[in-house]
Amino acid sequence: MVRNVSAFRPALRSGQRFDASAAARPILTFESVFKSYRTDQPVLRGTNLIVERGEFVFITGPSGAGKSTLLRLVYCAEQADDGRILFLGRDVARLTEASIPVLRRNMGVVFQDFRLVPAWTVFDNVAIPLEILGSPARLIRTRVGEVLERVGLAGRGVDKVSGLSGGEQQRVAIARAIVGEPALILADEPTGNLDPQLAIDILGLFEEIHETGTTILFATHDRSLLELRSHRIVVLNEGRAIDVPQGLAVAMDDAGR
């Protein structure tokens, strides 16, 4: 299923959008992060977590554990009540309003409900990030064509999103997330609305993207996906992050020896 991996490389390299020293830093660091929506029920309670560049990390936990909240804090859709979240060494809470779009250019976000514009074509949905940047039309056509081929939708750019299946719509959402060549992909329950086989296919697509060097944070409550692969797992439990570095597949195998 891999399509021309060598042609796809994340744009964020040392010194391109951040200072050169950023290459030696973890891509994400959570330092004693607190977040609550009710004072008596904190969602994140002193969460500490380090994600290195190029990692694939499952974020899991029961409903309400804070998986989506953790991701939303990263791309500044919400603010932490206390603690720090560092992206390549920069505290995202200290960014100005004008700087937040710059931060988000280095991230791609994929949602469970796709968040596409149904009346638009596949091409128009995927092209949005590049159009916002003011990229030349020729570059947009080239990049959109490349990522549609990469996600298995070559030649589908003229199709209306409303006529696509759920799995195809999620592929469009992934194409939109990677078209700007981000260093980090945040996937918020991206297989939650898909049947089991489609979920595995979409996971495989994220793994192909990861092979190019992109860091992936993949939030899911689907234990079957966690058991299928040996990626690092971070379990959110009572507001804290518990690390399973080699994933459930390896942990379960070790336990059986």
Side-chain angles (χ1 to χ4, degrees):
M1 191 164 61
V2 176
R3 287 166 287 277
N4 196 18
V5 169
S6 62
F8 186 87
R9 290 289 182 263
L12 181 60
R13 299 302 185 195
S14 59
Q16 285 196 3
R17 299 185 188 178
F18 287 83
D19 60 274
S21 64
R25 299 170 180 158
I27 195 166
L28 272 179
T29 304
F30 292 76
E31 297 180 347
S32 300
V33 174
F34 287 80
K35 179 65 180 179
S36 63
Y37 302 102
R38 292 173 47 182
T39 55
D40 59 333
Q41 291 185 343
V43 178
L44 299 178
R45 190 196 309 262
T47 300
N48 292 290
L49 177 65
I50 294 176
V51 178
E52 300 290 350
R53 291 177 63 121
E55 281 198 280
F56 190 117
V57 183
F58 282 125
I59 306 294
T60 192
S63 178
K67 300 184 296 294
S68 295
T69 297
L70 185 143
L71 298 186
R72 287 172 61 82
L73 293 175
V74 173
Y75 64 91
C76 294
E78 299 184 27
Q79 295 292 321
D81 298 327
D82 199 4
R84 298 198 305 166
I85 300 172
L86 308 178
F87 178 70
L88 292 174
R90 293 193 173 186
D91 186 347
V92 300
R94 300 183 65 181
L95 296 175
T96 64
E97 287 293 325
S99 296
I100 289 176
V102 178
L103 168 78
R104 290 175 178 168
R105 287 173 200 166
N106 291 291
M107 302 178 183
V109 185
V110 181
F111 302 95
Q112 178 178 348
D113 57 359
F114 317 140
R115 301 199 186 178
L116 303 172
V117 182
W120 290 9
T121 65
V122 168
F123 181 97
D124 290 339
N125 273 276
V126 175
I128 290 174
L130 298 181
E131 291 175 346
I132 290 173
L133 292 176
S135 299
R138 184 174 180 178
L139 174 63
I140 293 174
R141 287 194 301 272
T142 300
R143 284 295 302 143
V144 172
E146 289 174 351
V147 297
L148 288 181
E149 180 178 0
R150 179 153 187 77
V151 302
L153 294 175
R156 303 291 299 275
V158 297
D159 294 355
K160 290 287 183 66
V161 165
S162 58
L164 303 182
S165 68
E168 290 170 333
Q169 289 190 45
Q170 192 58 290
R171 289 175 181 269
V172 174
I174 294 169
R176 180 184 59 192
I178 66 175
V179 74
E181 300 180 301
L184 173 65
I185 296 290
L186 304 171
D188 190 0
E189 298 277 5
T191 62
N193 290 334
L194 306 178
D195 66 43
Q197 185 55 55
L198 278 176
I200 294 171
D201 291 345
I202 292 298
L203 173 60
L205 183 52
F206 278 103
E207 290 175 324
E208 292 175 11
I209 296 165
H210 172 247
E211 288 174 6
T212 70
T214 306
T215 306
I216 308 283
L217 261 65
F218 189 112
T220 183
H221 65 273
D222 187 342
R223 187 179 177 91
S224 66
L225 295 182
L226 304 179
E227 294 174 349
L228 192 64
R229 300 289 195 265
S230 59
H231 300 302
R232 176 186 178 191
I233 295 174
V234 173
V235 181
L236 295 181
N237 183 41
E238 296 184 354
R240 292 184 171 85
I242 302 170
D243 213 334
V244 185
Q246 301 301 316
L248 289 185
V250 173
M252 291 172 66
D253 183 59
D254 290 345
R257 291 176 183 173

